[in-house]
Amino acid sequence: MPRLALVAALLFAAHGAAAQQTDLTVALQLEPPHLDPTSAAAGAIDSVLYSNVFEGLTKFTETGAVVPGLAQSWEISDDGKVYTFHLREGVTFHDGTAFDASDVVFSLDRARADDSQNAQKALFDGIAEVTAADAQTATVTLAEPDGDFLFNLAWGDAVMVAPETIDGIKQTPVGTGPFRFARWVTGDRIELARHDGYWGDAPALSDVTFRFIADPTAAFAAMMAQDIDVFAGFPAPENLPMFDSDPRFQVLHGTTEGETILAMNNAQPPLDDPNVRAAVAHAIDRQAIIDGAMFGQGTPIGTHFAPHNPDYVDLTDLSAHDPDASRELLAGAGYPEGFTTTLKLPPPPYARRGGEIIAAQLRQVGISTEIVNLEWAQWLEEVFRGKDFGMTIVSHTEPFDIGIYARPDYYFQYRNAGFQDLMTTLTATTDPAARSDLIQQAQRMIAEDHVNAFLFQLGFATVADARVRGLWTNQPTQATNLTAVHWAQ
């Protein structure tokens, strides 16, 4: 090769290498309250850590399919009660300790313990015993067959943790994922770094910074200034057309598992009366909320189930907007002049903006609401754990979570023995056609009982630098999975 051509080639190669970016700044609206996904209901924890820092025996893909995670394979006994998991070889936690079957025993026993703080403890109630046959083989014995067991193990609440690092997990999480925790500047950012000892394919990104920008106006300004590379779950849907038309950016329009509901305290009068709950539901104009609060981003729902699921039943007609019917139901229940209750709202725009619209709609039928704006930590303490509320608005982003209506102590406190029996039958059923029928029965039961006012399925928009590749468009679980993300050459 001529000397000048060689020099040019070397310069080009050096320039190309330097231009390949390996760091990424991702913005999210909500900051996690702490960093242990196995002891909190806050989806913001999974938004940062799911598949990035922590992994489970199984995991979700972007399509919602369940695939092997830290378990490379498994066998199920003929009676459907015994699962034998074969663990991957050479897996280590970020502190260098080996991951083995004893960690599976610890993680699942901790999740199902009497004093467990796991927000989805009910997922593990069916486990009778967890044992380690050897370092690479863990056996889980169920009390009864559970057609959802592998699905449940893919939740962020079921990730594997180690006893050696559990005491500090809320501030310094240690997992097995492709990224390790580096630093948390509270109120500002969380930093992750590539874990060089990862058992799987190494991620293209070397460093990731999660920034937390709660204000939609600030989110728009930071994205337009390109101070951030990605905003997952962009909080100002009214600005999306501007990004769509700007060649510097790409907008990914996805779906979520997020059933957005006006949750009602079924144990608090007068909302303990299903006729009053029906009156609330009929007072609400779903499309007005979608248009006014979400700028059209959302799909109306009439029950607690995702419209993209093949077993979804459209039951919106059972709670159609009908103020006259609402007033009649209130009068029949003994509240001809309406009543007053609280409406406690967490920070997301769907709640704050939607809450103002819903309050106005409820006033039209005589229901007055005292709006109380809460930060997430307050909401979790007062509403989710304390059950101190009349109504609230929240999006349930967990996948296939209709089973929460079978938990009488869940925050909206719905008690229906028939529904609990139905869920027990569903859990023990493996035949797909029979499961589909039971799932549809479950949807109809809670819709007819007007447990909550079902509003819309939350859309999910990600705004990103046009050069970023490999982002999830959809949210089968609340996650910002960066394992395949890279910058275009």
Side-chain angles (χ1 to χ4, degrees), residues 392-441:
T392 188
I393 301 174
V394 69
S395 223
H396 284 257
T397 56
E398 297 84 4
F400 192 73
D401 60 349
I402 197 169
I404 59 179
Y405 289 79
R407 305 179 197 172
D409 59 345
Y410 202 63
Y411 76 98
F412 42 72
Q413 301 184 90
Y414 175 58
R415 287 172 168 80
N416 184 328
F419 188 85
Q420 293 167 32
D421 290 343
L422 183 64
M423 285 294 100
T424 300
T425 303
L426 175 64
T427 298
T429 301
T430 57
D431 177 70
R435 284 182 60 83
S436 180
D437 179 63
L438 292 167
I439 290 168
Q440 292 178 16
Q441 289 183 46

Side-chain angles (χ1 to χ4, degrees), residues 263-269 271-272 277 382-390 404-416 420 449 451-452:
M264 293 180 269
N265 192 334
N266 283 227
Q268 182 185 97
L271 296 169
D272 58 344
R277 298 195 300 267
E382 290 186 26
V383 177
F384 189 80
R385 286 190 286 268
K387 305 176 180 65
D388 179 15
F389 75 106
I404 59 179
Y405 289 79
R407 305 179 197 172
D409 59 345
Y410 202 63
Y411 76 98
F412 42 72
Q413 301 184 90
Y414 175 58
R415 287 172 168 80
N416 184 328
Q420 293 167 32
D449 218 4
V451 183
N452 296 307

